Amino acid sequence: RDFDDAVYAEPVGSGFRLVVAIADVSHYVKEGDALDVEARNRGNSVYFPRRVIPMLPEALSNGLCSINPDVERLAMVCDMQIDSHGHVKGYKFYQAVMLSHARFTYTEVAAILEDPRGQAARRRKALVPHLQTLYKLYHQLAKARAKRGAIDFETIETQMIFDDKGKIEKIVPVIRNDAHRLIEECMLAANVCTSDFLRERGHPVLYRVHEGPTPEKLAALRDFLKGFGLQLPGGEKPHASDYAKLLSKVKGRPDEQLLQTVMLRSLKQAVYTPKNAGHFGLAYDSYTHFTSPIRRYPDLLVHRAIKAVLIGGTYEPGDWQQLGAQCSMTERRADEATRDVTAWLKCYYMRDRVGETFMGSIAGVASFGAFVALDDVYVEGLVHISDLGKDYFKYDAARHELLGERTKQRYRLGDRLRVKIAKVDLTATRIDFVLA
């Protein structure tokens, strides 16, 4: 929803030149001014289904800093040379004035790439060759990603469709296509160059750090996988590539979603910190965020650091450790707020459907019951342990299951259940199911 990045690629020999231009927010938001203090407190923009609480005033986020087509905008540019194997061979950073020639939607680009002679392509005829060059580059970057062994968790995200009166009409899955992946790879490349640029010059920065599993979580994961006849290679310190290999092995299995969920939960949460410990999931030794300064405060700090280095100086915003903790906290706070609002809206959507029956899958297991995600409507609710049957159910955290002592009835993550909606509580944002 924020137009803070633009991309361009051209073939150079057997490789490519990739230009990633990012809105130059730091030109307008100066260290210590009122806008900066408020942006630091907010930490990031918060996205709700029907509105955004922006980190910066809309005059900036939707105006001066928004890379709208056919207007000149200030930008920070990462200009990269990428070889035919998708490896960055050189880069430079500079400030620029840029003019965007077009704004596309992901759906539109995906349609053009799929059918370069189709209707969508005919409407954008002059720009199709540029998109095809980007697409060729994407394939090289994707190959390098696979070789590096980055983990690619395919999670289902949803979007709420509202009617004219502001009521939810339906909830639909958001399908990631090659246009999403193309932009993602371009952003990853720029973020890695940023991290490299500041690290090489010894300048402090907030790294985006994602650590691997703790010994306890690793042991629990291996124990769980054993029950499926699966193994996670890599010994005591597995790499992302070990996870990636296992993910490719389970692809297409009926329990793929379950196994993927458990693998994802074995990893730590990503944080912002000045201590570089690499990014486990993306398989990078060093990684930072540069591409979204309109909506993320860490990116704004990174832009200021790059500008300082370009003129031979140092950027000192205060205690980097404290800043990292603050940015990590605001990110979690935003995620929780989004989850809470989404949960309330889903309850409101389902309150007229009490008594109806649905099929679903167990999405989470706790000592007090099983959370079930319904098919097609993308709503979750709880079957309380007292509604699972006349038995004493023992919770096994490592196996993600509830096991009946007498009946040996097992409720496990990923199991299919038919449930009935028993109660919708808007105040507690909770939906209760019973077995149908």
Side-chain angles (χ1 to χ4, degrees), residues 40-42 44 272 323-336:
R40 187 179 291 197
N41 287 337
R42 293 184 179 212
N44 40 264
Y272 294 105
L323 279 168
Q326 159 79 5
C327 292
S328 300
M329 180 278 289
T330 58
E331 181 186 33
R332 283 194 301 275
R333 184 178 66 189
D335 286 346
E336 281 164 20

Side-chain angles (χ1 to χ4, degrees), residues 38 85 104 112 116 142 221 250 271 277 283 317 321 330 378 418 436:
E38 185 60 22
H85 301 292
F104 287 94
I112 291 169
L221 174 63
V250 303
V271 293
Q321 189 70 41
T330 58
Y378 304 98
R418 182 177 287 282

Side-chain angles (χ1 to χ4, degrees), residues 400-430:
H400 301 267
E401 71 176 23
L402 288 161
L403 183 64
E405 237 176 35
R406 187 172 47 79
T407 58
K408 299 299 177 212
Q409 173 70 51
R410 187 192 303 257
Y411 293 100
R412 195 179 209 176
L413 202 63
D415 281 356
R416 304 282 293 151
L417 290 180
R418 182 177 287 282
V419 294
K420 188 164 79 173
I421 299 179
K423 185 184 169 194
V424 175
D425 187 336
L426 280 173
T427 314
T429 59
R430 179 172 145 174

Side-chain angles (χ1 to χ4, degrees), residues 214-227:
T214 60
E216 298 76 32
K217 284 200 166 183
L218 188 59
L221 174 63
R222 289 211 163 107
D223 188 37
F224 177 76
L225 291 170
K226 217 179 279 174

Side-chain angles (χ1 to χ4, degrees), residues 176-195:
R176 265 176 90 231
N177 56 40
D178 275 357
H180 290 99
R181 295 184 186 99
L182 185 160
I183 292 296
E184 188 181 282
E185 287 302 330
C186 293
M187 298 305 120
L188 291 177
N191 285 337
V192 170
C193 292
T194 305
S195 173

Side-chain angles (χ1 to χ4, degrees), residues 33-183:
D33 70 11
L35 281 175
D36 183 52
V37 171
E38 185 60 22
R40 187 179 291 197
N41 287 337
R42 293 184 179 212
N44 40 264
S45 297
V46 187
Y47 296 91
F48 295 119
R50 292 197 70 206
R51 64 178 292 211
V52 180
I53 313 274
M55 182 178 83
L56 298 167
E58 291 198 7
L60 287 176
S61 58
N62 287 354
L64 278 171
C65 296
S66 195
I67 301 179
N68 297 317
D70 305 316
V71 286
E72 290 189 338
R73 288 286 185 252
L74 296 180
M76 279 294 294
V77 176
C78 179
D79 197 330
M80 297 162 266
Q81 295 91 51
I82 297 174
D83 69 14
S84 58
H85 301 292
H87 300 130
V88 178
K89 288 299 172 195
Y91 60 82
K92 58 184 172 182
F93 285 90
Y94 50 84
Q95 290 170 257
V97 175
M98 68 154 288
L99 187 133
S100 163
H101 286 271
R103 184 178 91 78
F104 287 94
T105 65
Y106 288 109
T107 312
E108 189 183 7
V109 172
I112 291 169
L113 296 176
E114 204 174 301
D115 183 5
R117 289 192 177 86
Q119 198 180 340
R122 285 199 297 275
R123 279 199 301 270
R124 302 278 205 162
K125 200 174 173 187
L127 295 164
V128 172
H130 294 291
L131 290 178
Q132 288 177 314
T133 302
L134 272 167
Y135 198 38
K136 283 177 193 157
L137 166 62
Y138 156 70
H139 284 300
Q140 300 307 333
L141 291 171
K143 274 184 202 160
R145 178 196 183 106
K147 201 169 180 186
R148 200 172 69 242
I151 308 171
D152 199 0
F153 288 115
E154 284 288 351
T155 52
I156 297 172
E157 289 189 22
T158 58
Q159 183 187 352
M160 292 178 180
I161 309 295
F162 294 87
D163 64 16
D164 302 339
K165 295 185 180 79
K167 284 188 78 174
I168 300 172
E169 207 172 85
K170 56 183 174 178
I171 300 170
V172 295
V174 177
I175 311 295
R176 265 176 90 231
N177 56 40
D178 275 357
H180 290 99
R181 295 184 186 99
L182 185 160
I183 292 296

Side-chain angles (χ1 to χ4, degrees), residues 385 392-396 401-405:
I385 198 158
Y392 176 75
F393 284 90
K394 207 170 172 190
Y395 171 54
D396 187 332
E401 71 176 23
L402 288 161
L403 183 64
E405 237 176 35

